[in-house]
Amino acid sequence: MTEPLADEVWTVGQLAAHVGETIADTYGALWVRGEVAEFKAWASGHWYFKLREGEAQLNCVMFKWANQRQRAPEVGQEVFAFVEPGLYAPRSEFKLTVKRLLATADLGAAAREKERVKHALQRDGLFELDRKRPLPALARRVAVVTSANGAALQDIITVARRRWPLGELLVVPSLVQGEGAPAALLAALARVERLEGLDACIIGRGGGAREDLAAFDDEQVCRAVARCPVPVVSAVGHETDTSFCDLVADVRAATPSQAAELVFPDVAEVRDAVRQLGVRLRSALVRRTGVATERAERAGDRLEAAMRRRLAERRARLAPAGARLAGGLRQRVDRTRRLTDALRTRLGSATQACVGRDWQRHDDARTGLETAIRRRLARRLAEADALGAALHALSPLQVLDRGFGLARDADGRVLRRRADFTPSLPFTLRVADGDVAARVEPA
Amino acid sequence: MTDATPPLADDLKALELIVRRLESEDLDLDTALALFEEGVQRLRRSREQLQAAELKVVQVLEEADGELRTGPLES
């Protein structure tokens, strides 16, 4: 045994809190079934009792605010209790806080079954929010599981027709109430699973008496809904009714009409979005060609500036050399006065001619470069212009509508000049409403 | 709408990407032009799809042999 290290020692409070959290995290809230024992209702209004099964028993508390609306259970009575297990540290006690208490005998067979189904679905995580799938943005094929002649179907069709005429509704008819309804819904859902290219499924029915909606609480129906390969929207009854099917489905709609609204986008909104994309597409390209032109111009400017700089440097280098040359000549002339004027003149003019030739060469070079740059720049700009023109021609609503045509060869190259139209060349002429096949006359 | 037509959703998604690339990326003219052409095509196809449409409603029935068949809705 080692000595306890100060920082490894837990305080009682820490341990109690940790155990409490562990219990709460592990169990959450759940249903437990057992026999009531040692029941005590305190003056405070809280109930304290035990739930027992054979030798096992668990302490329970049901607070005043939870038990207000019900009769106290009798000792020995079998109950379902919806509880939150936890640790009550002041008494070092594992305790169940009871939220709901139902005597098993009080429950009708149907209600018991419903509790059982709810418990089973809950246990398998089918109500969990994190398994819910989002609906597709633009649904095309949507299955509808409902009665073929109910108001629900008519509501769904009406809404779908108004919002999203691009859609396709695959009605999978089913009984939705009565004894055969769960089996019919199961068969319909099995058919939905076999449909191809489906984007979503709507299941539901219009409002009715609570018993009429019972098929949508059926465990197998709910499991089939959860299994459905595409997202399911459930719309059962009125807004105030909630079926297990609603809870299991990916999306719950208050009514069948609302289900259709959730599944189908509004065509007007989508058209508007497309329009916006068109505007953005066009302006992005206009900006892009503008940038390219500007860049070509800038590159030309830079090139020109660089050439000017070089010329200036050369001139600067040549100037002192010229001066030195002239100075040297003068000295020589001074020293050799015996030389004839003619010789001096010839020498002077020869020097001048020599220097002049040199200058001329540089000037020529400079002019040639500048011309070449200008030519290139002009070509680049013309290219950009041609591209811009081609783009506008491509835009179906603009130039073509005014009666212009765009000719392209088989490879899609735009034919711009007479030379492009070689004899017998097949080409396509695009006009406002489509393409026309054409051919250049043979030579 | 035939199955050969790419779904509208695909066209719109691709279109959105094209527009974003044109708006944000530093593209050379050829690439920009090619993207624009593709964008125009998708735009036109989207418009066509959004125009000529009427909601299709059919009924799914199961034949005796277990085959699924679609037919007009009888109500």
Side-chain angles (χ1 to χ4, degrees):
Chain A
M1 280 303 251
T2 54
E3 299 279 314
L5 293 169
D7 56 357
E8 282 180 358
V9 176
W10 291 54
T11 67
V12 170
Q14 282 169 341
L15 186 56
H18 189 267
V19 171
E21 277 168 26
T22 307
I23 293 171
D25 288 350
T26 308
Y27 297 104
L30 52 88
W31 282 98
V32 60
R33 180 179 186 153
E35 207 173 273
V36 175
E38 296 177 35
F39 180 86
K40 248 181 209 159
W42 287 72
S44 58
H46 306 323
W47 295 349
Y48 293 86
F49 56 97
K50 293 185 161 117
L51 277 182
R52 187 179 280 168
E53 184 204 21
E55 303 228 313
Q57 60 177 22
L58 295 169
N59 288 338
C60 299
V61 58
M62 191 169 190
F63 291 114
K64 182 172 66 178
W65 43 90
N67 70 32
Q68 263 167 350
R69 290 191 190 167
Q70 64 185 107
R71 269 187 308 143
E74 285 165 32
V75 170
Q77 192 176 33
E78 191 178 54
V79 292
F80 292 119
F82 189 62
V83 302
E84 277 175 3
L87 180 75
Y88 183 57
R91 284 174 184 267
S92 180
E93 193 176 85
F94 177 73
K95 184 167 265 178
L96 306 178
T97 303
V98 181
K99 302 287 185 181
R100 288 178 67 196
L101 195 63
L102 302 164
T104 50
D106 284 355
L107 288 176
R112 238 190 339 259
E113 170 64 5
K114 201 170 166 186
E115 285 299 330
R116 186 195 64 74
V117 170
K118 186 175 183 179
H119 185 206
L121 297 175
Q122 215 158 31
R123 182 194 60 214
D124 292 345
L126 297 191
F127 297 153
E128 297 296 325
L129 293 179
D130 59 11
R131 55 168 290 283
K132 308 236 176 257
R133 296 162 291 187
L135 292 172
L138 301 174
R140 283 209 303 173
R141 277 161 77 89
V142 175
V144 182
V145 175
T146 190
S147 163
N149 37 32
L153 180 58
Q154 289 316 311
D155 289 350
I156 289 169
I157 291 174
T158 305
V159 172
R161 190 165 278 146
R162 169 169 53 79
R163 280 179 74 87
W164 196 237
L166 285 69
E168 188 180 357
L169 285 181
L170 299 169
V171 181
V172 187
S174 171
L175 276 178
V176 292
Q177 69 186 68
E179 238 174 73
L185 286 170
L186 272 178
L189 284 165
R191 282 171 205 148
V192 169
E193 275 189 52
R194 291 167 57 198
L195 290 173
E196 282 170 12
L198 218 53
D199 294 313
C201 175
I202 297 174
I203 183 169
R205 55 155 292 153
R210 196 73 197 96
E211 310 84 76
D212 291 342
L213 311 183
F216 294 89
D217 286 331
D218 181 87
E219 182 178 359
Q220 293 314 314
V221 169
C222 289
R223 289 188 186 278
V225 166
R227 250 196 332 265
C228 188
V230 293
V232 179
V233 181
S234 171
V236 179
H238 295 300
E239 194 162 359
T240 47
D241 304 314
T242 303
S243 64
F244 294 154
C245 179
D246 287 336
L247 299 178
V248 167
D250 296 284
V251 177
R252 189 207 160 190
T255 60
S257 298
Q258 202 207 13
E261 278 175 15
L262 290 171
V263 167
F264 294 112
D266 184 348
V267 72
E269 280 171 23
V270 177
R271 281 197 189 121
D272 200 49
V274 169
R275 215 170 7 244
Q276 304 253 2
L277 278 171
V279 170
R280 279 171 64 195
L281 181 68
R282 199 158 303 154
S283 57
L285 190 82
V286 167
R287 206 176 59 83
R288 182 58 59 209
T289 46
V291 167
T293 310
E294 205 180 286
R295 196 181 304 150
E297 278 169 0
R298 267 207 310 275
D301 287 350
R302 273 207 306 277
L303 196 56
E304 208 174 324
M307 290 319 297
R308 280 188 198 288
R309 218 169 31 245
R310 268 173 123 170
L311 278 169
E313 276 167 20
R314 282 199 173 179
R315 257 184 203 150
R317 265 210 310 277
L318 276 168
R324 270 205 312 279
L325 189 59
L329 281 170
R330 253 199 316 277
Q331 277 175 7
R332 204 182 270 188
V333 169
D334 283 349
R335 270 204 314 273
T336 60
R337 291 187 177 190
R338 287 184 306 273
L339 287 176
T340 61
D341 287 347
L343 183 57
R344 200 188 312 161
T345 312
R346 274 171 61 204
L347 188 59
S349 59
T351 309
Q352 229 160 35
C354 188
V355 174
R357 259 205 315 279
D358 215 24
W359 273 116
Q360 185 61 46
R361 259 210 311 279
H362 282 105
D363 280 348
D364 284 352
R366 195 192 57 175
T367 315
L369 263 168
E370 279 176 7
T371 314
I373 292 161
R374 288 227 178 79
R375 253 205 312 275
R376 265 177 135 168
L377 192 57
R379 239 193 346 257
R380 204 64 184 129
L381 289 175
E383 224 170 76
D385 281 349
L387 285 170
L391 294 176
H392 276 286
L394 279 169
S395 170
L397 296 177
Q398 291 193 347
V399 183
L400 297 183
D401 268 349
R402 299 205 301 266
F404 289 88
L406 177 70
R408 290 171 174 236
D409 66 11
D411 297 326
R413 272 193 294 271
V414 179
L415 306 174
R416 293 189 182 78
R417 295 182 181 75
R418 289 180 51 164
D420 294 339
F421 291 86
T422 51
S424 300
L425 177 81
F427 64 97
T428 311
L429 190 64
R430 187 176 293 175
V431 292
D433 59 347
D435 287 344
V436 180
R439 185 182 290 274
V440 181
E441 289 283 346
Chain B
M1 204 175 345
T2 64
D3 286 345
T5 319
L8 181 63
D10 291 355
D11 273 334
L12 290 184
K13 205 183 284 173
L15 195 51
E16 177 74 42
L17 277 176
I18 287 170
V19 169
R20 278 207 211 136
R21 279 192 70 189
L22 277 174
E23 283 174 341
S24 62
E25 283 181 40
D26 199 14
L27 303 165
D28 61 70
L29 267 181
D30 291 341
T31 314
L33 177 57
L35 278 176
F36 179 73
E37 276 213 57
E38 191 194 334
V40 167
Q41 267 174 28
R42 289 189 185 272
L43 198 61
R44 186 186 308 133
R45 208 157 48 202
S46 304
R47 280 191 188 134
E48 280 167 9
Q49 287 190 61
L50 282 167
Q51 270 160 13
E54 190 180 345
L55 184 75
K56 211 168 137 192
V57 183
V58 297
Q59 184 167 214
V60 178
L61 295 168
E62 192 164 341
E63 302 277 14
D65 60 3
E67 283 299 303
L68 291 186
R69 179 177 62 83
T70 58
L73 182 69
E74 301 147 13
S75 56

